[in-house]
Amino acid sequence: MAFPSKEEILAYIRESPVPVGKREIARAFQITGSHRIALKTLLKDLEKEGAIDRGRGRKLARPGSLPEVMVVEITGLDDDGETLARPMNWPGQQEGFDPPKILILTETGRKIAHRGRNSEAPGAGERCLVRLSRVDSDAYEGRVIKRLQGRLQQVLGVLESAPAQAGALFRLRPTDKKDKNDYNIIENASDATAVVGELVLAEVIPGKPLGLPQARITEIVGHIDQPKAFSLIAIHAHALPHVFSPETLAEAEAAQNVDLTQREDIRHIPLITIDGDDARDFDDAVWAAPDDRPDNPGGFRLLVAIADVSWYVRPGSPLDRDAYERGNSVYFPDRVVPMLPEALSNGLCSLRPEEERGCLAVEITIDAQGIKRQHRFLRGLMRSAARLTYDQVQKAQEGFPDPATAPLLAPIITPLYGAYAALALWRKKRGTLELDLAERKVKVGEDGKVAEIVERERFDSHRLIEEFMILANVCAAETLEKHHSVCMYRLHDRPSFAKIEALRDALDGLDYSLQKGDLRPHHFNQLLSSAKGKAEADMVNQLVLRSQAQAVYGPENIGHFGLSLQKYAHFTSPIRRYADLLVHRALVSALKLGEGGLPESQKAQDALAEKRSRKNTTAKKSGLDFQAMGEHISITERRAAIAERDAIDRYAAAYMSERIGAEFQGRISTVGSFGMFIRLTDSGAEGLAPMGQLPGDYYIHDEANHALIGERTRHIFRLGDSVTVRLLEADAITGRMLFHLLDGGTSLNPGSEPSKRKALSPPGRVRKQRGKSGIAPKRLSSHSQRRGKKTSVNRKKR
């Protein structure tokens, strides 16, 4: 018999009623001797082509099965948090088969834990060369052989008409101000019809064609003229998860209100919520009364009640997976991307007035100086007495109550302010860092357009709630430490030596100094106080802010430097922060308050940690999972902050686009080799004054002093300086604004009146370095650049 072809072997395997292997195939085709080697080679080729499976008797796989090695694209995570991929070239597509599930493993064959601290998992959109092995008829495991040049570039932009000679469907204008390219759209791979003005996601097509780069539409987001378009841009530009899974929505809708089972009845206590006038979710309520015990004169009893989110969001549930992925809610001027579905965030977990709600509460006793004497956590059933706003409460306290606050003033609001006064003393005694930084608020009208941009007002009512929440957070951290439980701390480290030295260098040019040695928050406060009311006050506040470390989440306590607290954990906003939900679960488990605590595996870790701590008080606590989770939610927090800022920038640019050519007063908020960013005084809108828009001269960037110095005129522009600018451009799509500088800065010309500030070293001289960093002095002249020497000085010409 002649040696069989591939088609004959495949036909034999297909028609066999049972799985067949190499031995059965050789017997059927009478293959003997050296021909067995050729058969083995042929079968390996069929395996690599995806025609047959290796292992299970060499039976024929269904049409469209995958080859042994192929390129895949990472698509995200499954419900168990494992990394999934899809084939870049799916051979079963023409036959109408859905691609099989591909679970990505490490090179060693271990499952990739996406929450691991040093995760090997590639990110969504990334392409990898993998070696595949079949798990069952519909799933593969893939070991990463090599990560390719990265994910296919995604561009978010607005469709515009393409010139006829371009041979493209559309021209794409990116929303990212850093992307200077336009793109030719040559294909629409989405299901919807695209039109000019659509906001779309497009995938850049690899290759280097002549002219503009090419891209294909993958998703149509919406129209740029529709309300909420700017927040849509921010959502997609920063890949914010904004669509809940059907399972999550179903779980939220099926939730039922709690009853008194395993709960303490606190419905008789007149707790109230105090929030902004645009708030929709109310997750914290407060109450205070004078302490009538004779051993605590002037003291107060406080109750802080927080929505019992852990009762509804259980570890590992669809609700939990979606909440963890988001990490926190994201707040835009026109919408909220919530961490939890509306059925919970605005429903059962919102402490709405006159509705019974489950809560996790802490009773606290403080003395007349605001120092905590004792506290106790409880799981309760409460009923809010009123939903009030900061403005309402402040006006009532100042003697202008409205019908809602008048009956609450004496019994509820006045004691709250009494307790706040005591807590303010405690805050002052600790020496909390007190930065004075304006925050802008964008008010959006019903038509989706910006009505106005104002500075967000801050009252004592805001500070009251802030101090109550800080105290409750301290209680949570102390309780978990006392019970040797894992805790998700809010961590704020001390400023680094390098940042402090940079701050001292900048302050030196302003005739300010900062104490040497072990710095505490009150040392910064002394500096801020000395600058208060002066022209450079804003600059000093900005410099101090930039010198501080980034606050993060983690299980290993290092304290909170800014608040001057040794133990601190976020407990008071579990509707909008996953960190708070973890703290709630830890408290429920540690205090044995019922269901909804930590998963059993975490409890076992905690028990082991407690056993070890009895032998060694310095033993490391549990929290292996908490470490990775802390890193994840720290990242989602930063992602949310950047997305919120980007959306505000676009709304501000849209608002300013009707004022092109107008003149404005502002202050320099950032100085760089590229020019200066200017923040306008009246609106807080921020834009760039590039080097080309500065008065004609060569400008040298003095990085340490945050300044630009004119080489010929010796005119200086410094961070915080007041300037006058003309608006040249305001692009709402990118959020980019350009200014022309008209006036401002300081003259250092010879013969001018001496400045009270220490003059910066003029160009050509050596500026003395502060501190003991060992850094060599920097020459401000640009001549060193011409000689090829390394320098941080940047020379720009108009």
Side-chain angles (χ1 to χ4, degrees):
M1 180 178 291
F3 192 83
S5 65
K6 287 183 179 181
E7 290 73 20
E8 289 174 325
I9 290 178
L10 289 175
Y12 171 78
I13 297 173
R14 184 185 299 113
E15 295 168 1
S16 174
V18 294
V20 293
K22 185 175 69 173
R23 180 177 300 176
E24 288 82 6
I25 294 172
R27 187 181 297 120
F29 291 95
Q30 300 178 13
I31 299 173
T32 59
S34 60
H35 291 294
R36 287 180 175 270
I37 298 176
L39 174 63
K40 182 178 180 181
T41 301
L42 186 149
L43 292 176
K44 283 188 175 182
D45 290 340
L46 290 174
E47 292 165 13
K48 292 179 180 179
E49 295 169 3
I52 61 175
D53 255 336
R54 179 175 51 162
R56 300 182 179 178
R58 310 291 187 188
K59 71 176 181 180
L60 182 67
R62 74 177 200 177
S65 59
L66 301 180
E68 182 181 12
V69 176
M70 74 178 309
V71 176
V72 300
E73 180 184 7
I74 306 302
T75 57
L77 307 174
D78 66 5
D79 290 342
D80 297 322
E82 295 171 344
T83 303
L84 298 179
R86 68 173 179 85
M88 289 295 294
N89 181 22
W90 167 229
Q93 186 173 3
Q94 294 181 351
E95 288 83 359
F97 291 99
D98 293 329
K101 174 182 176 181
I102 303 176
L103 173 65
I104 300 300
L105 310 179
T106 63
E107 290 83 347
T108 57
R110 294 181 291 107
K111 290 184 179 180
I112 296 176
H114 75 285
R115 295 179 181 179
R117 187 172 187 178
N118 298 308
S119 173
E120 302 174 67
E126 191 170 347
R127 290 178 294 157
C128 301
L129 183 68
V130 299
R131 186 178 303 280
L132 298 175
S133 60
R134 199 165 207 150
V135 178
D136 55 40
S137 61
D138 235 2
Y140 287 81
E141 290 180 344
R143 290 170 173 80
V144 176
I145 299 173
K146 180 182 179 182
R147 291 187 181 188
L148 302 182
Q149 65 265 32
R151 62 192 70 193
L152 291 176
Q153 182 184 351
Q154 295 281 328
V155 179
L156 181 68
V158 178
L159 295 180
E160 299 177 346
S161 298
Q165 65 272 21
L169 300 175
F170 301 98
R171 181 68 50 84
L172 183 71
R173 182 183 171 199
T175 60
D176 186 353
K177 68 181 74 174
K178 298 178 183 178
D179 192 342
K180 306 302 182 184
N181 287 321
D182 283 350
Y183 297 81
N184 281 330
I185 297 294
I186 63 171
E187 181 184 348
N188 181 10
S190 71
D191 296 331
T193 302
V195 297
V196 170
E198 295 277 15
L199 180 65
V200 304
L201 275 172
E203 187 177 72
V204 178
I205 298 173
K208 297 182 178 179
L210 295 176
L212 297 177
Q214 298 178 340
R216 65 172 66 89
I217 298 171
T218 57
E219 180 182 347
I220 296 178
V221 177
H223 201 280
I224 192 62
D225 290 335
Q226 75 181 71
K228 304 185 178 182
F230 300 139
S231 55
L232 273 176
I233 292 175
I235 288 169
H236 284 80
H238 297 281
L240 296 177
H242 64 288
V243 178
F244 289 108
S245 68
E247 296 80 10
T248 295
L249 293 173
E251 186 179 357
E253 292 292 339
Q256 300 292 322
N257 203 2
V258 301
D259 55 28
L260 269 175
T261 305
Q262 294 184 321
R263 292 182 181 274
E264 192 169 329
D265 191 352
I266 57 172
R267 290 174 291 183
H268 61 285
I269 299 178
L271 289 150
I272 63 171
T273 63
I274 306 175
D275 296 276
D277 53 7
D278 55 351
R280 297 177 61 192
D281 51 351
F282 318 120
D283 54 2
D284 57 80
V286 294
W287 169 87
D291 189 1
D292 54 7
R293 288 176 293 187
D295 62 342
N296 189 26
F300 286 86
R301 292 181 295 121
L302 284 58
L303 184 63
V304 178
I306 309 298
D308 193 356
V309 176
S310 64
W311 178 264
Y312 298 101
V313 184
R314 302 298 176 90
S317 67
L319 273 170
D320 183 49
R321 288 193 293 268
D322 272 7
Y324 177 79
E325 182 186 14
R326 294 171 184 231
N328 43 257
S329 297
V330 188
Y331 295 87
F332 298 112
D334 58 355
R335 73 167 76 198
V336 177
V337 179
M339 189 181 78
L340 300 175
E342 189 172 349
L344 291 181
S345 61
N346 296 340
L348 293 178
C349 292
S350 186
L351 308 181
R352 299 191 294 212
E354 302 304 330
E355 294 186 18
E356 293 184 356
R357 289 289 184 263
C359 65
L360 198 61
V362 55
E363 288 182 332
I364 311 169
T365 302
I366 61 174
D367 64 18
Q369 302 302 311
I371 298 173
K372 180 173 66 68
R373 302 186 68 177
Q374 61 186 30
H375 72 269
R376 175 181 77 94
F377 280 92
L378 61 95
R379 207 170 197 177
L381 184 67
M382 61 161 286
R383 183 189 292 117
S384 172
R387 176 269 197 267
L388 303 178
T389 68
Y390 293 114
D391 186 57
Q392 275 183 299
V393 173
Q394 188 65 32
K395 287 180 178 177
Q397 179 64 14
E398 293 173 353
F400 304 98
D402 60 21
T405 56
L408 304 175
L409 181 57
I412 299 177
I413 295 176
T414 298
L416 285 173
Y417 273 86
Y420 161 63
L423 291 174
L425 295 175
W426 177 50
R427 180 186 183 95
K428 184 176 181 180
K429 182 177 180 179
R430 297 196 323 268
T432 301
L433 182 60
E434 304 286 359
L435 289 168
D436 183 16
L437 299 168
E439 183 181 357
R440 56 182 168 160
K441 179 179 181 181
V442 176
K443 294 186 177 180
V444 179
E446 294 182 0
D447 58 357
K449 296 183 178 180
V450 180
E452 60 178 336
I453 303 176
V454 297
E455 185 175 327
R456 193 180 294 274
E457 294 181 291
R458 185 165 171 78
F459 306 122
D460 277 348
S461 54
H462 290 89
R463 300 181 182 93
L464 182 157
I465 292 299
E466 181 179 302
E467 292 306 315
F468 273 61
M469 299 304 113
I470 288 173
L471 183 58
N473 290 337
V474 170
C475 293
E478 289 182 353
T479 297
L480 292 175
E481 280 204 9
K482 179 181 178 181
H483 287 79
H484 307 288
S485 171
V486 66
C487 177
M488 185 60 76
Y489 293 98
R490 180 62 167 175
L491 306 172
H492 185 223
D493 205 351
R494 296 170 177 271
S496 68
F497 174 80
K499 286 189 175 183
I500 292 299
E501 289 304 298
L503 174 62
R504 287 199 171 101
D505 277 343
L507 292 173
D508 186 42
L510 299 173
D511 202 18
Y512 288 90
S513 61
L514 184 64
Q515 176 173 318
K516 294 185 178 181
D518 186 20
L519 289 176
R520 301 289 180 179
H522 70 267
H523 295 131
F524 291 100
N525 289 341
Q526 292 170 359
L527 169 66
L528 296 170
S529 178
S530 64
K532 190 172 183 178
K534 299 179 181 178
E536 61 271 18
D538 184 67
M539 177 181 181
V540 174
N541 274 270
Q542 290 288 343
L543 289 171
V544 171
L545 174 64
R546 296 178 189 192
S547 71
Q548 301 302 303
Q550 175 78 47
V552 295
Y553 293 104
E556 299 297 330
N557 187 25
I558 61 171
H560 195 293
F561 178 81
L563 293 175
S564 195
L565 292 168
Q566 294 181 351
K567 302 178 181 69
Y568 192 68
H570 277 166
F571 158 76
T572 55
S573 295
I575 286 179
R576 62 183 181 90
R577 290 190 305 229
Y578 196 84
D580 302 52
L581 174 58
L582 292 174
V583 171
H584 276 232
R585 288 174 179 166
L587 287 167
V588 168
S589 293
L591 301 175
K592 298 178 173 55
L593 295 177
E595 301 177 17
L598 295 171
E600 292 300 321
S601 59
Q602 190 66 59
K603 292 179 184 178
Q605 291 182 32
D606 291 342
L608 178 60
E610 183 176 0
K611 183 178 179 181
R612 289 174 178 171
S613 67
R614 292 170 183 163
K615 298 179 180 179
N616 180 7
T617 56
T618 62
K620 184 179 179 181
K621 296 187 179 109
S622 69
L624 300 176
D625 292 339
F626 267 41
Q627 180 65 45
M629 295 170 88
E631 292 172 358
H632 168 76
I633 57 182
S634 296
I635 291 171
T636 62
E637 179 187 47
R638 290 193 289 272
R639 177 182 67 184
I642 294 171
E644 290 169 355
R645 186 173 64 244
D646 282 0
I648 290 176
D649 286 345
R650 288 186 173 88
Y651 276 107
Y655 179 70
M656 299 295 292
S657 63
E658 300 176 359
R659 296 162 176 79
I660 301 295
E663 296 181 9
F664 301 92
Q665 293 296 314
R667 287 191 179 276
I668 299 172
S669 59
T670 304
V671 177
S673 59
F674 49 81
M676 304 177 297
F677 277 98
I678 311 296
R679 181 177 290 114
L680 301 186
T681 304
D682 59 347
S683 66
E686 193 172 53
L688 175 66
M691 282 291 188
Q693 298 299 332
L694 302 186
D697 198 354
Y698 290 98
Y699 283 87
I700 299 170
H701 178 213
D702 183 354
E703 185 177 1
N705 286 290
H706 302 270
L708 293 174
I709 308 170
E711 189 174 55
R712 177 175 54 83
T713 63
R714 298 182 63 195
H715 201 80
I716 177 172
F717 297 98
R718 276 184 284 208
L719 180 71
D721 278 353
S722 178
V723 293
T724 304
V725 295
R726 177 182 292 118
L727 179 61
L728 299 179
E729 178 185 331
D731 185 352
I733 293 177
T734 62
R736 184 170 182 258
M737 289 192 292
L738 287 180
F739 294 122
H740 173 66
L741 192 67
L742 298 175
D743 189 23
T746 306
S747 175
L748 294 179
N749 286 324
S752 62
E753 293 185 8
S755 171
K756 292 183 180 179
R757 301 175 176 178
K758 290 184 180 179
L760 297 185
S761 302
R765 294 187 181 180
V766 174
R767 177 173 54 80
K768 185 179 180 181
Q769 297 293 310
R770 292 288 307 268
K772 300 179 180 179
S773 60
I775 302 174
K778 299 178 183 178
R779 180 173 294 276
L780 292 182
S781 171
S782 59
H783 297 299
S784 58
Q785 289 181 311
R786 301 189 187 108
R787 293 196 300 268
K789 295 183 178 181
K790 292 183 179 180
T791 175
S792 67
V793 178
N794 295 283
R795 187 167 178 263
K796 299 289 180 179
K797 184 178 181 181
R798 184 180 177 184

